[in-house]
C-alpha cells in the first residue's frame, strides 16, 4: 500500500466546488492528443449482440418517451438480474427507476432525502460527484478518512460522524473509486448497524459491482439485516456492459423512499433514452458466462497495466475492484498534482486525474490512472510513461 498522508479524523469546510476535474482532464487530453487514462471509460467495444440489437431497433423504435420511470421490460429485466446477483427481488412497478446514468441516480437519491442544512457522510478519498451533489442539495459533507495504510476505517470515527445532528445519509461507493477498495461483509455490517442505530439512509454507488479481482467479492449492503428499507442503491450499465455513453443508470429502493426518488427523477430528466433501454434489455438478460468473461478481461487488463507500472519503478495502489490505480508522484518534485497532470498530458502524452480532487485533505502527491483500455492502448501508454523521468525536477 502507498504511504498516504495522515488525515484529520473528521472535518468540515465551507463548501464549494469547481467543474469536474475528471471531465476537465478529458478535455485536456483531447486538446493535446494524450492517451486518456483520466476519465474512466473503455476504448473497446460493447458486446456485439448489444450493438446488433441497437441496429435492429433503429428503424422501428421506440423513438418517443418511455414512461418516466423507465420502460417496463427494462425494469423487469433489471429486477431479474438483481435477484440473480443479490437475492433481493425489487418490484419493477414500485421499487425501480431508470435514470440518466448513476450520476442522476445519486443526485435524485440525495435530493430525495436531504434538506438544506442537513449533512451527508462521505468516506475520503471519494469520487468528486458526491461532494458536489451534497453541496447542490444545500447539505454539508462530513468526511471519514480511510486509513492511508490499508484503507480501513475507524468505527469510532465513523460513529461520531454518523451520529452528528442533521446527518441524513452516508454515501458508500463499493467497489470504491478511486481507491479500488472492496468493502468486506464485516465492514459493511459495521456501517449497516450504525445506519440502523442512527436511522440513516445509505446511498450506494455500485457501478463497479461486476469488476472485482479474486479473492475479493461484492456484497450488496442492501442484503444485510435492516438494510433493505434504508439502502438507496444506485448503479448503472455503463461499466458492466462498456456503454458509458448510453447513460443508463438506475435506483433500487424500498417503496416509501422510492416514491420520493421518483418525484425528483420525474422533474430532473423525464427519463432515460427509450431506444437505448430497449436495446439494453438484451444485456440485462446475459447469462453468468458474460460476467465471468468480464472479470477475466479486467483481471487481464489490471495485470498488464500494473506489471508495466511496476517495471517502470512506480509506486501505486493495488485495486481490489474497479479499474483505477493511484500513483505516488512524490519523487518528481512537483508542488502540485494539477501541474504534474498537465505536464504529463502535454509532454508524456498520457492523461491522469490529480489525486487532490478525490481527497478531503490537501494532498498533492497522487494521480489517478485507469486501465479500462485495449492491450495496445495500455502498451502504448506504458511506453510513453517511460518518459515520465523527464518530468523530474
Ligand atoms: N466514474 C468514472 C471516473 O471516475 C467516470 C466519471 C464520469 O465522468 N462520469 O472516471
Amino acid at each position: 500500500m502507498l504511504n498516504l498522508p495522515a488525515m484529520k479524523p473528521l472535518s468540515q469546510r465551507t463548501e464549494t466546488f469547481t467543474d469536474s476535474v475528471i471531465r476537465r482532464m478529458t478535455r485536456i487530453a483531447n486538446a493535446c492528443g494524450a492517451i486518456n487514462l483520466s476519465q474512466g471509460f473503455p476504448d473497446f467495444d460493447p458486446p456485439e449482440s448489444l450493438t446488433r440489437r441497437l441496429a435492429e431497433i433503429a428503424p422501428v423504435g421506440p423513438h418517443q418517451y418511455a414512461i418516466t420511470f423507465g420502460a417496463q421490460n427494462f425494469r423487469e429485466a433489471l429486477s431479474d438480474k438483481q435477484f440473480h446477483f443479490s437475492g433481493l427481488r425489487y418490484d419493477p412497478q414500485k421499487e425501480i427507476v431508470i435514470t440518466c446514468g448513476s450520476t442522476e441516480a445519486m443526485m435524485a437519491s440525495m435530493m430525495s432525502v436531504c434538506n438544506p442544512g442537513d449533512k451527508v457522510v462521505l468516506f475520503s478519498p471519494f469520487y468528486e460527484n458526491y461532494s458536489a451533489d451534497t453541496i447542490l442539495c444545500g447539505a454539508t459533507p462530513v468526511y471519514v478518512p480511510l486509513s492511508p495504510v490499508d484503507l480501513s476505517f475507524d468505527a469510532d470515527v465513523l460513529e461520531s460522524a454518523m451520529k452528528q445532528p442533521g446527518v441524513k445519509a452516508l454515501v458508500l461507493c463499493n467497489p470504491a473509486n478511486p481507491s479500488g477498495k472492496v468493502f468486506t461483509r464485516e465492514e459493511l455490517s459495521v456501517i449497516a448497524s450504525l445506519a440502523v442505530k442512527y436511522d440513516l439512509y445509505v446511498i450506494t454507488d455500485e457501478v463497479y459491482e461486476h469488476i472485482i479481482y479474486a479473492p475479493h467479492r461484492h456484497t450488496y449492503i442492501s442484503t444485510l439485516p435492516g438494510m433493505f428499507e434504508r439502502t438507496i442503491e444506485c448503479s448503472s450499465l455503463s461499466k458492466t456492459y462498456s456503454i458509458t455513453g448510453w447513460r443508463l443508470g438506475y435506483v433500487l429502493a424500498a417503496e416509501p423512499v422510492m416514491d420520493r426518488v421518483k418525484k425528483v427523477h420525474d422533474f430532473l430528466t423525464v427519463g432515460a433514452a427509450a431506444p437505448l433501454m430497449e436495446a439494453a434489455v438484451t444485456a440485462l438478460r446475459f447469462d453468468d458466462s458474460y460476467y465471468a468473461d468480464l472479470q477475466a478481461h479486467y483481471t487481464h487488463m489490471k495485470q498488464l497495466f500494473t506489471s508495466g507500472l511496476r517495471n517502470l519503478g512506480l509506486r501505486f495502489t493495488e485495486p481490489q475492484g474497479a479499474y483505477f490505480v493511484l500513483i505516488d508522484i512524490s519523487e518528481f518534485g512537483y508542488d502540485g498534482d494539477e501541474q504534474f497532470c498537465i505536464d504529463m498530458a502535454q509532454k508524456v502524452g498520457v492523461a491522469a486525474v490529480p489525486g487532490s480532487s478525490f481527497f478531503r485533505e490537501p494532498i498533492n502527491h497522487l494521480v489517478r490512472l485507469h486501465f479500462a483500455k485495449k492491450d495496445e492502448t495500455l502498451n502504448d501508454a506504458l511506453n510513453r510513461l517511460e518518459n515520465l523521468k523527464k518530468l523530474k525536477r
Side-chain angles (χ1 to χ4, degrees):
M1 267 295 161
L2 284 178
N3 184 18
L4 302 179
M7 292 190 282
K8 286 181 224 130
L10 274 183
S11 42
Q12 293 173 26
R13 56 182 163 171
T14 307
E15 297 295 337
T16 179
F17 60 91
T18 65
D19 59 323
S20 156
V21 179
I22 295 174
R23 295 180 278 280
R24 193 193 307 159
M25 283 311 304
T26 282
R27 297 193 292 276
I28 290 172
N30 291 347
C32 65
I35 297 175
N36 187 1
L37 302 188
S38 56
Q39 186 180 22
F41 62 88
D43 68 347
F44 43 86
D45 291 333
E48 213 211 313
S49 57
L50 183 53
T51 48
R52 222 177 321 132
R53 180 75 188 123
L54 184 61
E56 277 169 22
I57 286 164
V60 292
H63 293 301
Q64 309 310 325
Y65 302 125
I67 67 161
T68 185
F69 309 124
Q72 174 77 19
N73 58 345
F74 187 96
R75 282 180 285 116
E76 284 170 2
L78 179 59
S79 174
D80 290 344
K81 173 184 175 271
Q82 195 61 25
F83 179 67
H84 179 71
F85 284 105
S86 75
L88 291 179
R89 170 64 75 185
Y90 287 88
D91 182 335
Q93 308 302 338
K94 298 178 179 154
E95 296 173 331
I96 298 180
V97 64
I98 314 308
T99 56
C100 294
S102 60
T103 300
E104 187 217 328
M106 297 288 296
M107 189 72 218
S109 300
M110 211 178 274
M111 289 180 80
S112 69
V113 298
C114 284
N115 291 314
D118 286 341
K119 294 176 185 164
V120 175
V121 176
L122 308 180
F123 287 107
S124 176
F126 58 93
Y127 172 53
E128 57 184 3
N129 278 41
Y130 311 148
S131 55
D133 291 351
T134 305
I135 296 160
L136 283 166
C137 288
T140 307
V142 179
Y143 296 92
V144 173
L146 295 173
S147 157
V149 179
D150 61 0
L151 298 174
S152 63
F153 59 85
D154 180 327
D156 293 335
V157 173
L158 181 64
E159 177 157 15
S160 49
M162 290 174 79
K163 75 179 187 195
Q164 284 190 25
V167 171
K168 288 288 173 63
L170 170 140
V171 173
L172 177 74
C173 182
N174 184 30
N177 177 6
S179 67
K181 177 181 174 65
V182 173
F183 286 77
T184 64
R185 178 172 280 274
E186 292 67 35
E187 288 175 316
L188 295 174
S189 298
V190 170
I191 297 168
S193 61
L194 290 171
V196 171
K197 184 170 175 186
Y198 296 107
D199 194 20
L200 307 181
Y201 290 103
V202 174
I203 302 173
T204 69
D205 176 353
E206 297 180 73
V207 299
Y208 304 102
E209 63 196 294
H210 295 293
I211 301 177
I212 298 255
Y213 308 106
H216 302 280
R217 292 180 64 82
H218 184 65
T219 302
Y220 295 91
I221 197 170
S222 52
T223 61
L224 298 185
M227 289 308 291
F228 177 76
E229 299 75 14
R230 62 183 67 252
T231 302
I232 309 178
E233 185 169 320
C234 302
S235 192
S236 90
L237 280 67
S238 293
K239 279 45 180 191
T240 305
Y241 307 109
S242 310
I243 47 172
T244 61
W246 290 30
R247 313 306 300 127
L248 290 177
Y250 53 88
V251 184
L252 308 172
E255 190 180 0
V257 66
M258 182 53 91
D259 281 348
R260 306 213 299 258
V261 177
K262 279 178 166 173
K263 282 183 199 148
V264 178
H265 160 78
D266 195 2
F267 289 106
L268 266 183
T269 60
V270 178
L276 301 182
M277 276 191 277
E278 181 64 31
V281 169
T282 301
L284 293 170
R285 299 271 182 217
F286 285 159
D287 64 23
D288 282 342
S289 67
Y290 174 78
Y291 301 93
D293 290 349
L294 184 80
Q295 297 233 13
H297 185 202
Y298 271 100
T299 302
H300 163 78
M301 288 182 277
K302 171 178 171 288
Q303 167 66 22
L304 192 166
F305 194 56
T306 57
S307 62
L309 294 177
R310 217 168 276 121
N311 289 340
L312 291 170
L314 293 165
R315 297 172 66 224
F316 54 90
T317 50
E318 186 78 40
Q320 302 169 342
Y323 47 51
F324 305 105
V325 292
L326 290 166
I327 293 185
D328 189 333
I329 58 161
S330 313
E331 61 182 292
F332 293 92
Y334 274 68
D335 294 335
D337 53 358
E338 294 192 14
Q339 190 57 48
F340 181 89
C341 285
I342 290 169
D343 284 359
M344 183 166 145
Q346 290 178 342
K347 298 178 186 159
V348 178
V350 178
V353 184
S356 51
S357 62
F358 303 102
F359 282 84
R360 165 68 183 107
E361 271 61 27
I363 78 126
N364 61 8
H365 72 289
L366 298 172
V367 301
R368 192 194 77 174
L369 292 173
H370 84 94
F371 52 80
K373 292 286 180 265
K374 293 176 190 160
D375 286 10
E376 66 209 62
T377 312
L378 293 177
N379 284 324
D380 190 1
L382 288 165
N383 286 336
R384 293 181 185 207
L385 288 174
E386 282 182 22
N387 289 323
L388 259 185
K389 45 186 177 294
K390 292 189 185 151
L391 297 187
K392 275 199 182 158
R393 289 177 161 181

